[in-house]
Amino acid sequence: MPRPAAQQKKPSWTMDKAYEPRGMEGRWYETWERHGWFAPADQGEPYCILLPPPNVTGTLHMGHAFQQTLMDALTRYHRMHGRRVLWQGGTDHAGIATQKIVENQLAAAGKTRHDLGREAFVAKVWEWKEESGSTITRQMRRLGASVDWTRERFTMDPGLSAAVRRVFVQWYRDGLLYRGKRLVHWDPVLQTAVSDLEVNNEEKDGSLWLIRYPAAAGGKDLTVATTRPETMLGDVAVAVHPEDERYKDMIGKQLRLPLTDRLIPVIADEYVDKEFGTGCVKITPAHDFNDQKLGQRHGLPVIGIFTLDAKVNENAPVQYRGLDRFAARKKIVADLEAAGLLVETKKHKLMVPISQRSDAVIEPMLTDQWFLDLTRDTQPDGRPGGKRAITEPALAAVRGGAVKFTPENWSTTYVQWLENIQDWCVSRQLWWGHQIPAWFDEAGNIFVGEDEADALKHSTIKPVGKLRQDEDVLDTWFSSALWPFSTLGWPGDTPERAKEWERFNAFLPSSVLITGFDIIFFWVARMVMATQYFTGRVPFHEVYINAIVRDAEGQKMSKSKGNTIDPLDLIDGIGLEALVQKSTAALLIPQVREKVEKRVRKDYPQGIPAVGADALRFTFAALATYSRTINFDLKRCEGYKNFCNKLWNASRYVLMNTEGQDNGLSGELEFSLADRWIQSRLSQTLGIVEKEFASYRFDLAAQALYEFTWNEFCDWYLELSKPALQGEGVSAARQRGTRRTLVTVLEALLRALHPITPFITEEIWQKVGPLAGKSGASVMIQPYPRPSDFKRDETAEQELRWIQEFILGLRRIRAEMDIAPGKLIPVLLQDASKSDRERAERYQPLLTFIARLENIGLLTGEAPPSATALLGEMKILVPMAGLIDMGAERARLAKEIARVEGEIGKCQTKLGKPDFVDNAPPAVVEKERQRLKEFETAVQGLKEQLKRLASL
RNA sequence: GGGUGUUUAGCUCAGCUGGUAGAGCACCGCCCUUACAAGGCGGGGGUCGUGGGUUCGAGCCCCUCAGCACCCACCA
């Protein structure tokens, strides 16, 4: 068959034969960024997403990549819908993490931060930040994240720091920030307080020691049970339950505290559980949260026995001083035993508080700290608005639906935490961070203000001597809590910043926050609290809680397990040796190294193939169900790379057939059935995508696009277009119609896929867009396709279903009868209805081409021995004449009959129940009857065929 | 102790208001057919964790139990 001239010549289309992501991705990203297309448009309804600012110390991990893929998909999707989109990016100064990195560098040189002094040390951290702080933002670019980098912020920027000071001062002046000597979670290694959220409780095997405390004067000795014998040096009482008959007579009497010369009272408190241990509890208010409360109730003294690095201090007998708390424990237990006071040592499982940052065991420690009041019902001076002024609005926002969680049940987690919240310890004994805007005079008076002058101005008292600024800095999350408004220029409602203020009004509240459940308390709740307090607005309308990324087996990814994957290694690929090297480089313990190496070699015998950013992104989208974990499987990722390749090759086909041709941009157009069908299917698909994007079901949106692309566009439409373009006797108008459909459907599909797979769609769109009559520099600034852009056509869908069944029936015969794919076969139609005959006539060229038929005939008279396919009541016969194996066909028919009879049985049972017929909606009953009828017709036809074959 | 999620094919998961159990991967055949072997065509495979209830009808709604996972709190 002669090809059109344009195809015979060297084709002008220039796409490589196989999809190759390397190269195109960097090129396109650079182009997008250079053109400023990530910046919000000047008009349109605002849409804003806040990037959870990654730590400047960080590198991109799978969790980031997943989360950012979803954010970018939404950003691009809404940008293409003509909205004024801001994806606000930036990084977090990450107090402890960052300070530790620089301290470790110093340690390598044998120095500590104290050798440098505060100013020089902080300067050094800034230096490090300028050098290394952009690693993660570079990596985000590789992923395609369309963050507006021109407005990137850092939590220690001057503007954000000003916001931090303003907030601190305002809360202080509103009576919600206070300083006090309180028991806090103390990290003895980092030597700073941490908040309750930064403490993990881990179950450990420990002991329960029973220790006898002798009676001082009369009465009996009491035996206490403790998991921390060393704290006995700070004991101030022994508590028993007031109703405990065993000890009632001892209440109010004195005991001799072993190893010391102190006398302590026996007190009664209902806090004590009679059933646990011995029913006698030693009370150490300085080093236990419960004991502290109890001590306060009873007006007991507080005796701290540890230094800030958790060594025994001068309050203890001299022989224990200077011992580390664990060494002290050993010695004390030994000494008690020697004194005959250790009654028993039992094995005991207990929860040990561990610092998230250093893995050190937390020591409750009495220190001066700043707290944000989240619990008091009234302010100290009785001013109005003090009734949980910060937390109540945050609860109301979620309860009232102003802030909506997806999946919805996370709101329960949020609400329950806020209902039981404790005051937030916001001060940290670090150098890297926002230094607290408070000053002390030499008499210890506190002056709070945005600067020293402001602090003095607002104070009613005269400072004594020189002022000295509080050495401490604020918890990193303090500035993170302000992110929704500090990044938009707050505080700054001044004329010279009018433009910025306009943005503030446009983008606060932001549209949706995408984040992990692990920081609902750390960050989400605190943003709601702070933003409402200072702006009167919620920070965002919706919170989408994304899943945690696990490995293919559902295991948590961790470096020491060796099951982490670097998203960049997926994008670029990595060889086995390089991967082994990289996975083990940071591991210090030889056994762990060995284990990890083994695992890597087993999991990735070939290393990791390069799949490109688009395939990785598509994988994330496809995995993004409402489930709370997703298992990342490399296999799945490779599958989506194949999808990209499929799209690539389909595009090559389209270009091959349309480039340099008359694609019907003008002139007479006639759309074939297939043309109308694929447009209808696309319309339907776009409807699903729209719905699923709106509900954050990225998996379903991705699935709809995947299935349309592969199962409908490629598997059917492209095949159906072949006879239309290559077949003989097809009118020019009709060929134009098909070419027009090829380019318009593909062009729209590329736009539809762009938010998920930005690079490949851009690369192809550059070629396909113009053919579809689109001008514009990039697909990313084109309008997103709408369902109404393509016509739904129910008739075309029905017609095409008939064609598909016709072809599928014949394919099955071909496959099961083992007829070569190229072999032309004759077909006879039996019991064809009028509409069957008309369809067969109308689509004869199409069917002949696709199913490789010799001809289609209508059966007149007796049927020859044939293989049979059913299409409704019609039988499609392939006469056997040398082609068909009779035994195989009999077996095939028998199998099919058995299947249909099974269905008939089910239908009959159902319809045989009066309950069903009488109670089910008539439409359902009718549908069931219809099904039964169809099955009966089918089975009858099949049986006839079987009988005919049997008689031969 | 309080809370949440989860249990569907060999594996990983969909199944949205109850009405004929699906996908990808893996597996088994046939095929290098000029868009694509990173592919095409065909096929096998599930009593939906257990026990009950509601309903004409339950993978889906209610209750029981069990397994798995996570969060918060915590008795020294």
Side-chain angles (χ1 to χ4, degrees):
Chain A
M1 176 187 27
R3 294 268 176 93
Q7 273 184 35
Q8 282 178 347
K9 279 191 307 197
K10 153 98 180 74
S12 62
W13 45 276
T14 48
M15 289 176 68
D16 293 334
K17 188 163 162 146
Y19 162 64
E20 177 50 71
R22 213 183 297 261
M24 79 168 74
E25 298 184 344
R27 195 172 73 239
W28 284 120
Y29 195 90
E30 202 260 322
T31 305
W32 296 331
E33 190 172 3
R34 180 159 36 82
H35 281 86
W37 290 327
F38 299 157
D42 293 330
Q43 44 194 318
E45 193 193 337
Y47 184 89
C48 179
I49 292 186
L50 303 167
L51 175 74
N55 292 353
V56 277
T57 54
T59 52
L60 197 75
H61 58 61
M62 291 296 276
H64 290 126
F66 173 49
Q67 188 175 76
Q68 290 168 10
T69 293
L70 304 187
M71 280 186 260
D72 193 49
L74 285 171
T75 299
R76 290 176 184 272
Y77 179 80
H78 289 286
R79 193 184 282 130
M80 289 176 78
H81 275 89
R83 298 187 60 175
R84 182 184 174 195
V85 175
L86 172 65
W87 184 1
Q88 174 63 52
T91 47
D92 191 279
H93 67 279
I96 295 175
T98 312
Q99 173 161 330
K100 250 172 77 179
I101 285 180
V102 178
E103 282 190 297
N104 287 344
Q105 288 175 351
L106 289 177
K111 289 186 186 167
T112 71
R113 69 179 204 253
H114 300 283
D115 295 334
L116 267 72
R118 183 168 190 146
E119 203 173 320
F121 177 77
V122 169
K124 209 159 177 61
V125 182
W126 273 108
E127 209 174 282
W128 182 88
K129 185 258 170 191
E130 299 304 334
E131 274 171 30
S132 315
S134 55
T135 303
I136 197 161
T137 55
R138 275 201 311 276
Q139 292 174 319
M140 286 178 68
R141 286 175 167 88
R142 291 297 318 279
L143 196 67
S146 58
V147 170
D148 182 5
W149 298 112
T150 64
R151 288 164 227 276
E152 187 181 346
R153 293 288 183 272
F154 176 58
T155 48
M156 279 171 66
D157 280 348
L160 274 66
S161 300
V164 165
R165 287 193 297 273
R166 172 70 61 89
V167 163
F168 186 94
V169 169
Q170 195 61 51
W171 267 338
Y172 177 79
R173 288 179 187 158
D174 290 349
L176 293 164
L177 259 171
Y178 64 93
R179 184 175 160 84
K181 206 176 203 52
R182 298 291 147 92
L183 206 52
V184 294
H185 298 282
W186 183 263
D187 182 326
V189 170
L190 299 170
Q191 299 210 27
T192 177
V194 293
S195 79
D196 47 357
L197 287 177
E198 291 163 292
V199 178
N200 290 338
N201 292 303
E202 290 178 17
E203 193 179 78
K204 294 265 158 92
D205 288 319
S207 304
L208 190 65
W209 285 275
L210 305 191
I211 305 167
R212 184 158 54 86
Y213 285 16
K220 57 198 175 207
D221 298 354
L222 293 187
T223 300
V224 301
T226 180
T227 54
R228 299 200 55 198
E230 69 280 12
T231 62
M232 67 169 290
L233 300 176
D235 282 3
V236 295
V238 168
V240 297
H241 195 275
E243 311 285 293
D244 196 330
E245 294 301 332
R246 292 172 294 178
Y247 309 120
K248 239 177 170 164
D249 54 332
M250 282 300 291
I251 295 170
K253 299 244 167 65
Q254 300 276 309
L255 298 173
R256 191 170 299 282
L257 184 61
L259 312 182
T260 72
D261 53 2
R262 287 196 286 121
L263 294 182
I264 56 173
V266 178
I267 58 171
D269 196 288
E270 300 199 333
Y271 157 77
V272 179
D273 177 355
K274 284 188 282 189
E275 309 304 317
F276 188 87
T278 60
C280 301
V281 187
K282 61 190 265 320
I283 302 299
T284 322
H287 297 291
D288 183 283
F289 286 95
N290 287 312
D291 290 7
Q292 189 206 23
K293 277 184 216 142
L294 192 141
Q296 277 172 352
R297 279 201 293 279
H298 294 268
L300 297 169
V302 177
I303 303 175
I305 55 148
F306 291 125
T307 58
L308 293 180
D309 55 354
K311 293 193 167 81
V312 178
N313 70 11
E314 71 286 353
N315 290 335
V318 66
Q319 67 269 33
Y320 302 110
R321 289 182 198 166
L323 286 178
D324 175 78
R325 54 189 160 158
F326 300 111
R329 175 179 300 176
K330 268 193 191 139
K331 183 163 168 56
I332 285 168
V333 168
D335 290 352
L336 287 169
E337 189 160 23
L341 294 169
L342 184 63
V343 178
E344 194 183 349
T345 306
K346 293 182 180 172
K347 277 197 172 25
H348 183 66
K349 280 206 191 305
L350 74 163
M351 298 299 269
V352 178
I354 303 291
S355 169
Q356 274 178 9
R357 287 291 162 195
S358 67
D359 284 337
V361 176
I362 289 291
E363 188 63 54
M365 198 78 85
L366 204 57
T367 50
D368 278 311
Q369 304 289 347
W370 288 93
F371 293 88
L372 181 62
D373 179 355
L374 301 172
T375 55
R376 243 181 304 172
D377 280 341
T378 51
Q379 293 188 55
D381 61 1
R383 268 181 295 167
K387 186 173 163 144
R388 291 176 36 110
I390 298 174
T391 43
E392 279 303 330
L395 274 167
V398 167
R399 287 194 178 124
V403 173
K404 198 174 139 277
F405 276 86
T406 300
E408 205 274 325
N409 58 282
W410 288 111
S411 59
T412 309
T413 306
Y414 172 99
V415 164
Q416 288 181 352
W417 183 69
L418 275 177
E419 283 175 338
N420 299 297
I421 198 167
Q422 299 296 309
D423 285 358
W424 175 16
C425 176
V426 296
S427 45
R428 297 288 180 277
Q429 287 64 51
L430 306 172
W431 286 352
W432 176 243
H434 298 102
Q435 194 169 352
I436 291 175
W439 286 261
F440 306 113
D441 69 7
E442 288 169 10
N445 294 310
I446 299 173
F447 301 83
V448 170
E450 295 190 34
D451 53 40
E452 206 174 311
D454 182 53
L456 287 173
K457 201 175 83 190
H458 281 83
S459 176
T460 52
I461 49 173
K462 281 259 174 269
V464 179
K466 274 174 73 176
L467 288 183
R468 170 181 60 82
Q469 187 173 1
D470 191 328
E471 298 265 315
D472 292 348
V473 299
L474 289 164
D475 182 2
T476 295
W477 294 102
F478 193 94
S479 54
S480 311
L482 320 184
W483 189 249
F485 54 100
S486 64
T487 51
L488 293 172
W490 187 94
D493 190 2
T494 55
E496 62 268 27
R497 297 176 76 181
K499 182 134 189 252
E500 201 159 5
W501 202 246
E502 192 278 329
R503 286 161 37 80
F504 176 92
N505 280 314
F507 294 118
L508 187 75
S510 61
S511 310
V512 60
L513 180 77
I514 300 200
T515 194
F517 72 81
D518 50 332
I519 55 176
I520 289 178
F521 307 146
F522 276 111
W523 194 46
V524 179
R526 288 166 177 171
M527 280 194 287
V528 179
M529 294 193 279
T531 308
Q532 286 194 124
Y533 194 89
F534 289 99
T535 71
R537 307 182 196 187
V538 293
F540 25 73
H541 295 298
E542 293 187 69
V543 182
Y544 172 90
I545 299 295
N546 61 257
I548 299 294
V549 181
R550 309 276 189 101
D551 74 4
E553 280 91 45
Q555 299 291 308
K556 236 180 213 159
M557 288 194 180
S558 83
K559 292 230 156 93
S560 57
K561 273 194 209 145
N563 62 346
T564 55
I565 309 178
D566 182 339
L568 293 191
D569 289 341
L570 281 162
I571 295 175
D572 295 329
I574 184 168
L576 176 60
E577 295 311 320
L579 185 60
V580 167
Q581 174 65 30
K582 184 173 165 175
S583 311
T584 53
L587 301 173
L588 299 174
I589 305 166
Q591 291 92 319
V592 175
R593 278 181 81 116
E594 204 173 302
K595 196 186 79 189
V596 166
E597 169 161 0
K598 228 171 133 183
R599 170 151 192 170
V600 169
R601 287 187 188 281
K602 179 176 149 275
D603 287 355
Y604 310 103
Q606 317 292 322
I608 296 174
V611 301
D614 285 324
L616 177 60
R617 291 171 57 118
F618 202 100
T619 310
F620 284 135
L623 290 173
T625 65
Y626 279 174
S627 163
R628 59 174 61 181
T629 58
I630 59 170
N631 300 348
F632 187 87
D633 190 345
L634 185 58
K635 286 261 175 57
R636 190 99 187 243
C637 200
E638 288 174 34
Y640 291 119
K641 187 195 178 186
N642 295 352
F643 172 75
C644 290
N645 188 53
K646 190 76 180 171
L647 178 66
W648 183 263
N649 279 294
S651 303
R652 287 179 66 226
Y653 171 83
V654 172
L655 284 171
M656 243 169 100
N657 284 290
T658 56
E659 216 167 10
Q661 308 248 14
D662 176 359
N663 295 319
L665 287 173
S666 60
E668 199 193 339
L669 271 186
E670 192 187 323
F671 289 121
S672 70
L673 168 69
D675 297 338
R676 284 177 279 127
W677 171 77
I678 195 67
Q679 296 184 43
S680 181
R681 295 308 306 149
L682 178 56
S683 173
Q684 160 98 6
T685 303
L686 292 172
I688 295 171
V689 171
E690 200 166 82
K691 171 174 167 279
E692 304 304 352
F693 253 95
S695 54
Y696 305 104
R697 286 302 302 266
F698 302 97
D699 60 322
L700 297 178
Q703 189 186 8
L705 287 164
Y706 182 98
E707 285 174 357
F708 174 80
T709 304
W710 203 310
N711 304 337
E712 296 186 319
F713 187 64
C714 291
D715 285 353
W716 286 99
Y717 183 67
L718 295 190
E719 293 309 315
L720 293 167
S721 77
K722 287 173 185 174
L725 295 174
Q726 298 164 20
E728 290 172 48
V730 183
S731 74
R734 193 161 258 231
Q735 290 202 17
R736 272 200 296 274
T738 294
R739 283 198 291 268
R740 176 94 185 125
T741 306
L742 281 171
V743 289
T744 51
V745 169
L746 176 59
E747 192 274 337
L749 176 60
L750 291 170
R751 281 184 284 135
L753 282 165
H754 178 77
I756 301 177
T757 53
F759 298 109
I760 187 177
T761 50
E762 181 74 288
E763 179 81 7
I764 300 171
W765 190 86
Q766 292 293 327
K767 297 197 167 72
V768 171
L771 295 179
K774 302 280 172 174
S775 56
S778 165
V779 66
M780 72 166 283
I781 50 176
Q782 298 297 308
Y784 199 80
R786 291 175 188 277
S788 58
D789 294 347
F790 295 88
K791 203 174 145 219
R792 288 298 296 274
D793 188 335
E794 199 44 56
T795 313
E797 300 214 11
Q798 272 172 26
E799 292 284 295
L800 208 105
R801 242 190 308 276
W802 185 89
I803 290 175
Q804 287 177 321
E805 278 177 35
F806 194 106
I807 292 167
L808 288 171
L810 286 166
R811 276 185 190 159
R812 235 169 271 135
I813 290 175
R814 217 183 248 283
E816 285 168 35
M817 295 303 114
D818 222 6
I819 302 170
K823 170 93 181 153
L824 298 184
I825 52 175
V827 159
L828 287 170
L829 303 182
Q830 187 182 17
D831 298 337
S833 68
K834 183 160 169 287
S835 84
D836 286 333
R837 288 197 303 273
E838 284 169 2
R839 281 167 165 167
E841 171 75 22
R842 201 174 325 142
Y843 306 124
Q844 192 255 342
L846 195 68
L847 296 170
T848 316
F849 188 99
I850 306 274
R852 291 175 198 264
L853 304 181
E854 199 174 297
N855 53 51
I856 303 176
L858 291 177
L859 179 69
T860 50
E862 192 69 12
S866 312
T868 311
L870 285 175
L871 207 183
E873 296 190 16
M874 180 172 77
K875 297 170 195 76
I876 304 168
L877 306 180
V878 179
M880 306 186 87
L883 283 173
I884 310 287
D885 174 332
M886 196 182 313
E889 177 62 5
R890 268 198 223 120
R892 207 176 71 87
L893 287 172
K895 198 177 85 184
E896 181 65 5
I897 288 167
R899 186 188 70 84
V900 177
E901 279 182 335
E903 295 295 331
I904 289 175
K906 275 194 255 173
C907 280
Q908 282 172 337
T909 311
K910 207 166 183 183
L911 286 164
K913 284 188 193 161
D915 282 344
F916 174 70
V917 181
D918 296 343
N919 295 314
V924 173
V925 178
E926 185 46 43
K927 204 172 154 197
E928 200 62 24
R929 290 208 170 105
Q930 196 59 39
R931 285 189 68 219
L932 179 59
K933 213 175 113 194
E934 279 166 21
F935 286 134
E936 280 172 341
T937 309
V939 87
Q940 194 190 337
L942 291 165
K943 279 180 169 167
E944 267 172 38
Q945 293 302 319
L946 185 59
K947 210 165 118 194
R948 188 164 299 127
L949 290 187
S951 68
L952 287 169

